[in-house]
Amino acid sequence: MILLAVFFLCFISSYSASVKGHTTGLSLNNDRLYKLTYSTEVFLDRGKGNLQDSVGYRISSNVDVVLLWRSPDGDDDQLVQVMVKDVKVENVNEQRGEKGIFKGKKPSQIIRKENLEALQRPVLLHLVHGKVKEFYSYQNEPVAIENLKRGLASLFQMQLSSGTTSEVDISGDCKVTYQAHQDKVIKIKALDSCKAERSGFTTLNPVLGVTSKATSVTTYKIEDSFVVAVLAEEIHALRLNFLQTIAGKILSKQKLELKTTEAGPRLLPGKQVAAIIKAIDSKYTAIPIVGQVFESECKGCPSLSEHWQSIRKHLQPDNLSKAEAVRSFLTFIKRLRTAKKEEILQILKAENKEVLPQLVDAVTSAQTPDSLDAILDFLDFKSDSSIILQERFLYACGFASHPDEELLRALISKFKGSFGSSDIRESVMIIIGALVRKLCQNEGCKLKGVVEAKKLILGGLEKAEKKEDLMMYLLALKNARLPEGIPLLLKYAETGEGSVSHLATTTLQRYDAPFITDEVKKTMNRIYHQNRKVHEKTVRTTAAAIILNNNPSYMEVKNILLSIGELPKEMNKYMLSIVQDILRFEIPASKMVRRVLKEMFAHNYDRFSKSGSSSAYTGYIERSPHSASTYSLDILYSGSGILRRSNLNIFQYVRKNPLHSIQVVIEAQGLETLIAATPDEGEENLDSYAGLSALLFDVQLRPVTFFNGYTDLMSKMLSASSDPMSVVKGLILLIDHSQELQLQSGLKANMDVQGGLAIDISGSMEFSLWYRESKTRVKNRVTVVITGDITVDSSFVKAGLEIGVETEGGLEFISTVQFSQYPFLVCLQMDRDGVPYRQFETKYERLSTGRGYVSRKRKESLVAGSEFPLHQENSEMCKMVFSPQPESSSSGWF
């Protein structure tokens, strides 16, 4: 028995890769040919852990390894030859059976003869202290094939001692941690630390972004001080933050196992490895072991023009409410990202005016240098004949998922030029502010273009001579939210006239809590309590909101509560509703409010029984353990019953990360003369005005004016139609994540998520003198499509997983007020239509020759419509709203 054990140990020692006697890494024995088996396999699924539902493939082979040279100066300096033989390509899903795409095909038919020959040509590894110092191969081999050999070569890189170091392998320059045990060595690669040039981008907002996770663990099995097997596992998982059904996972495995050894060639003599390599084959050349980028050949792919012609019918104005329109928009953006300027410009110039706005949306959303050059060449900002196209371009810039400095510089250059429309000039500056914000969020605040834009905004605020320019720069700052602009905002908030003061305070309201300092709150307190001058109700209530939403002190809350009862009637009711909403919805300030309310002087019947019609209400649209969607509506009326401000907000939260999805504010002032009513304090000299301001996905848009001035008001009333005014309409690329991955196995992977929507927000205000009634409407129609696309490509076979959801819906808010008596009759309605919700899943495996396997699944459901509570206090009025009334010549829409 002892003799048998001795014989077995001797046999093992004759063919194993030795680590004994070496303190650094793998070392091969002299004059031996090592016979190994190697396989790499990849699985794609939705991260549910069932490999039987996966798609993917396996590449396996035999591998011959031989030590060609060892430095006379040390055993840890070696030249090793690695040669792949007997290649096979197979399905990883054994249930595929006869449907397997590789069934009945030889490796040369799958991989192609020239690729197979390249794969089986040997490579040389210069190993120094267990690390690959140089990787030698033949020139002009296909990049995808070289990557597969790089993936195999990377497994030969190891060390025997525990510790953390940096290594360069196929993944790049990566931080790795070794854990040495008696029977194994574990190598953990921090994939997020790898430095390698890879294309990719992501949506900056955490709500609309994705969460990705990557791990790489390689285990070197050791028996009797010899490495006998290498097992590697790499996982890449991705999940859309706010919609976790959009998820996918790539599992990549490698296995290198020693089978036997036999007599091999003798070591080549020499001191210099370069001379040895030249003697072996002068055609060998050192190439990077880091994986290189390649693009698979696209056979039969349509040209840009052909692609556009195939989808343009879906982008006709009448079709924009359909999911097919958004799907076409997203696929065309992908195609545009590979197009040249001349191709794009040719399509723009040939298109008609009906479809052109949608084409402008797509070209701008592509966000490539060629698409930007094309659209800037196409649009003429000096002309007022294409204002709609210019506006659509600017809005698409504002919603850009990953803007760069060149886009910002282009808009700055345009702003310094001349314009055919003052509205477009204003929009350019507003969008410059949005781009500054996004670039700063991506650590680009010190870019020259951003610095120039900051100076432009802040300098404009300081030096503006016209009210219109001042309002424009305030709107730009509302998007940019520059900390250095806060002193200017405080100045205009406290000393500016009505509309300027109001815009300055609403701009401050957009700043994050750390910027609302004690100095800011002192100014807001002076404004609310009118310590220095009389302010409009809209300014005072905004100042109060800033105080209450930013960690208010005991005295601040106490003073606000004590003011209730001393305010104008409707403002009393409004502030009371705000306090009640804070308590009911458990807003952070609720703890301090409850503390103050324990005192009788603050919490008494007189103060909390004030009548009026103004209100504030916050509620949930959707709620789940990891996310929530909320709505809030606050309405402030004048003492005469005319709408002063209606403010509708929708927020999306993922954990503690917020996204201000929508804000629609309708404001009116100076309408008391129409009904011979007395204006409230501080509002006696206001011009007649009504307008709408919208914020969409954290981007403030240019406000829309219904009328401005008494003459304009009467003109609009006499000539008005029932059509609401569009605030924003178009196609928006909302989610945009693209990630190119170099798997350790040598395969290339891509993980892409796109989300687009067709949106139409409109607003209107109806005013009837005959019925002494006013009505405001905000209508939001949205179609959303989100797709995820995960692929793994070897150039000769590709596996993919496509997942998607789509829905179409609408949200409408209507407020109706009858002011023929006091308190006014008020009806507030917010309704959501029934929403179809469709989910898709497509899995496929496809050879470069065209043969493929496809599996498709579809699920459809209907989410019932709903009506949301808005703190209605008079149900009789809501019943009256639905009673038809005869038309009156003294009512109109504006």
Side-chain angles (χ1 to χ4, degrees), residues 624-830:
S624 70
H626 89 285
S627 66
S629 181
T630 68
Y631 70 94
S632 66
L633 174 70
D634 59 86
I635 297 185
L636 176 64
Y637 293 101
S638 69
S640 56
I642 296 175
L643 176 73
R644 194 67 176 82
R645 182 185 64 206
S646 162
N647 185 2
L648 173 66
N649 290 277
I650 297 177
F651 279 87
Q652 180 75 38
Y653 294 90
V654 173
R655 296 178 180 89
K656 293 184 179 181
N657 297 308
L659 171 66
H660 201 165
S661 302
I662 295 174
Q663 181 188 59
V664 181
V665 181
I666 295 180
E667 293 182 85
Q669 66 179 37
L671 302 183
E672 285 77 11
T673 54
L674 293 175
I675 57 173
T678 303
D680 293 337
E681 180 189 13
E683 300 180 356
E684 297 86 354
N685 299 316
L686 295 180
D687 291 333
S688 299
Y689 168 83
L692 187 150
S693 174
L695 181 147
L696 191 60
F697 302 114
D698 252 350
V699 177
Q700 173 68 51
L701 306 179
R702 181 178 60 81
V704 174
T705 298
F706 294 145
F707 61 81
N708 192 1
Y710 186 79
T711 303
D712 190 25
L713 163 62
M714 298 311 296
S715 172
K716 295 284 176 61
M717 288 185 67
L718 294 172
S719 62
S721 71
S722 59
D723 295 329
M725 182 174 288
S726 177
V727 181
V728 59
K729 184 176 183 178
L731 293 159
I732 299 174
L733 178 63
L734 194 60
I735 300 165
D736 198 14
H737 176 89
S738 181
Q739 194 174 357
E740 186 177 277
L741 306 170
Q742 176 60 68
L743 302 183
Q744 183 176 283
S745 62
L747 301 173
K748 182 185 80 166
N750 289 84
M751 304 180 87
D752 297 329
V753 180
Q754 277 189 313
L757 71 160
I759 191 164
D760 185 357
I761 298 177
S762 58
S764 60
M765 183 176 178
E766 185 179 7
F767 191 80
S768 173
L769 295 176
W770 183 262
Y771 290 104
R772 298 180 73 83
E773 178 180 289
S774 69
K775 181 179 290 187
T776 59
R777 293 175 184 264
V778 176
K779 192 168 185 177
N780 181 10
R781 293 290 307 174
V782 175
T783 301
V784 181
V785 175
I786 301 173
T787 62
D789 188 8
I790 302 173
T791 60
V792 177
D793 194 358
S794 65
S795 79
F796 51 85
V797 59
K798 186 176 186 178
L801 169 66
E802 297 173 357
I803 44 183
V805 298
E806 60 184 39
T807 184
E808 301 124 16
L811 193 68
E812 185 171 21
F813 161 70
I814 304 173
S815 72
T816 307
V817 183
Q818 266 199 358
F819 45 87
S820 57
Q821 59 184 352
Y822 194 86
F824 324 125
L825 294 175
V826 178
C827 173
L828 305 179
Q829 301 164 261
M830 191 166 82

